[in-house]
Amino acid sequence: QVQLQESGPGLVKPSETLSLICTVSSGSISPYYWSWVRQPPGKGLEWIAYIHSSGRTNYNPSLKSRVIISVDTSRNQFSLALISVTTADTAVYYCARGYSSTREFELDYWGQGTLVTVSS
Amino acid sequence: QSALTQPASVSGSLGQSIAISCTGTSSDVGAYNHVSWYQQHSGKVPKLIIYDVTERPSGVSTRFSGSKSGNTASLTISGLQAEDEADYHCGSYTTISTYVFGAGTTVTIL
């Protein structure tokens, strides 16, 4: 059973960079698509970006200018950086896997999520 | 890209059937048969229950079914059970190769 675990600071100051890592265990990071999804408190889901194990990326247009996503296949990890954060970026951040090697957006395995609060 | 439109809440009695709508545009829901639904119990992680409009992943109850007409997709839950009380989120591919979710619908058992 594939397991995903997000890690990173739970508190980030406005204008700083939010950085998260997702570690994949009990399974290979190849050859799948790996996404970041966030959920503001009490609100719906928002897809942020995905990266394929090959390094191919795709971003939500509304966040594209502030997001960097990368993968480290040797460590079975992928990461998210969101720059110049504001309080509107406060959310639970999930990492998740595409349902099969050809599925980008149908997400079957999810991390437990990590709450990131943007506050001074 | 704008979020897909879902009703904020839907309720039903045990054993009933309910339907949740998910309305988009010709640039997302109406463009492809790539609509998915996720179930999220309170404080829990989303779970994929429908993909490609009508397909169920292995292990998902047959009480969940999906359909689509034009720019609106629907999730039907048949024989409503207590454990179906949760939030349901729809999502769709878009014509610019990205993904958009709805705001989510809370299902309440009366």
Side-chain angles (χ1 to χ4, degrees):
Chain A
Q1 180 92 346
V2 176
Q3 293 183 316
L4 290 76
Q5 180 66 58
E6 304 89 353
S7 58
L11 180 64
V12 181
K13 289 183 169 55
S15 81
E16 295 190 343
T17 296
L18 179 162
S19 296
L20 296 174
I21 292 174
C22 182
T23 301
V24 179
S25 57
S26 301
S28 176
I29 206 162
S30 303
Y32 293 95
Y33 289 90
W34 303 89
S35 279
W36 288 98
V37 175
R38 69 180 183 180
Q39 185 172 31
K43 296 188 178 181
L45 303 170
E46 180 179 32
W47 174 75
I48 300 171
Y50 74 57
I51 187 164
H52 187 263
S53 54
S54 65
R56 176 175 170 245
T57 58
N58 191 8
Y59 298 92
N60 184 324
S62 66
L63 297 169
K64 186 174 183 177
S65 63
R66 298 195 295 129
V67 172
I68 301 171
I69 189 171
S70 60
V71 65
D72 185 340
T73 54
S74 66
R75 295 187 176 189
N76 248 27
Q77 293 178 332
F78 62 105
S79 64
L80 171 73
L82 180 63
I83 66 174
S84 302
V85 297
T86 70
T87 55
D89 295 311
T90 293
V92 174
Y93 285 76
Y94 295 100
C95 58
R97 194 194 80 170
Y99 182 52
S100 73
S101 61
T102 59
R103 294 288 183 167
E104 302 149 282
F105 300 113
E106 293 81 0
L107 306 172
D108 61 345
Y109 288 101
W110 294 65
Q112 285 303 301
T114 185
L115 174 62
V116 179
T117 302
V118 178
S119 175
S120 55
Chain B
Q1 56 192 39
S2 299
L4 307 177
T5 300
Q6 297 181 238
S9 62
V10 172
S11 59
S13 301
L14 292 172
Q16 269 191 326
S17 291
I18 60 170
I20 303 168
S21 61
C22 171
T23 300
T25 68
S26 57
S27 296
D28 38 62
V29 174
Y32 309 107
N33 287 326
H34 288 310
V35 175
S36 298
W37 290 89
Y38 294 84
Q39 176 192 60
Q40 185 180 27
H41 289 106
S42 181
K44 301 297 185 182
V45 173
K47 174 187 176 183
L48 179 67
I49 58 173
I50 294 286
Y51 67 97
D52 287 355
V53 178
T54 62
E55 301 300 306
R56 280 184 304 275
S58 175
V60 172
S61 172
T62 56
R63 296 187 301 103
F64 295 98
S65 62
S67 62
K68 193 187 87 166
S69 178
N71 296 335
T72 298
S74 297
L75 172 72
T76 297
I77 309 176
S78 304
L80 209 56
Q81 298 182 3
E83 63 259 33
D84 299 332
E85 192 162 272
D87 291 332
Y88 292 83
H89 308 271
C90 65
S92 173
Y93 280 52
T94 76
T95 53
I96 56 170
S97 301
T98 60
Y99 198 75
V100 61
F101 283 103
T105 297
T106 298
V107 168
T108 303
I109 310 299
L110 298 173

